[in-house]
Amino acid sequence: MEFYNQLLENNKEWVSSSLKEDPEFFSRLSKGQQPPLLWIGCADSRVPANEIIGAPPGEVFVHRNIANMVIHTDMSMLSVLDYAVNVLNVKHIIVCGHYGCGGVKAAMSNAHIGLIDNWIRHIKDVYRFNHEELDAIEDETVRFDRFVELNVREQVMDLGKTSIVQNAWKNKQKLHIHGWVYGINDGLIKDLNISLQDNQELDAVYQLDI
Ligand code: CO
């Protein structure tokens, strides 16, 4: 119980130190939220969204799953996306992957883990789309790192393909989608310099006539 009880103690300390710094901290947050950013990241415990970008409560709307995937039949992801874009009017969506991602690593192998195999299949699809580039990389770590980056790029494009994002662009809503990769080793974020802001960069078959 020690670890568990410590969490509740930590919470009390956090409340008092937050109030010491800013007596209005909680009363202000209780009035509502207007975060400018939706974060889609990995569930990995080493990649806490707010902490690594120094964002206080109220600034980031967060969705996390294994390997920061954008699966367009995932009702949870779609609901987060719809609320972020159409109610909160976020200006940016960041897909943040990370080097050393266990989900991506599993997708490169033939490991059978359990139910999660079915989730990881979506990542295997990304390998298949990029197999020529990836198979040509001999060093396994380099190939793994590149796969992490290509997976992020694919998820950025998959966000752009959603009806939610294409509708927002059609309505002239400013909405930029970015792809980042976080380094577990050094804490630094690499910007993949993908800034999707209209549907023209999507393959023609995905461009919806809205
Ligand atoms: Co991960």
Side-chain angles (χ1 to χ4, degrees), residues 164-173 199 208-210:
I164 296 165
V165 168
Q166 291 196 49
N167 252 308
W169 284 331
K170 193 73 184 179
N171 295 330
K172 304 282 175 221
Q173 198 170 327
N199 70 358
L208 300 175
D209 282 329
I210 295 172

Side-chain angles (χ1 to χ4, degrees), residues 42 44 98 101-102:
C42 184
D44 193 300
H98 67 100
C101 184

Side-chain angles (χ1 to χ4, degrees), residues 41-44 46-47 65-68 97-104 184:
C42 184
D44 193 300
R46 299 164 296 177
V47 195
N65 62 33
I66 288 168
N68 40 271
H98 67 100
Y99 296 118
C101 184
V104 174
I184 297 268

Side-chain angles (χ1 to χ4, degrees), residues 69-109:
M69 299 301 285
V70 175
I71 310 299
H72 64 280
T73 48
D74 174 359
M75 189 56 78
S76 175
M77 184 281 296
L78 288 175
S79 302
V80 167
L81 180 64
D82 183 47
Y83 192 76
V85 171
N86 291 320
V87 180
L88 298 174
N89 286 302
V90 298
K91 303 283 179 282
H92 300 273
I93 305 176
I94 293 169
V95 177
C96 187
H98 67 100
Y99 296 118
C101 184
V104 174
K105 178 90 178 169
M108 290 172 70
S109 80

Side-chain angles (χ1 to χ4, degrees), residues 33 35-39 49-50 53 55-62:
Q33 60 169 337
L37 165 67
L38 166 62
W39 174 279
N50 286 65
I53 53 170
E59 285 196 0
V60 194
F61 202 62
V62 175

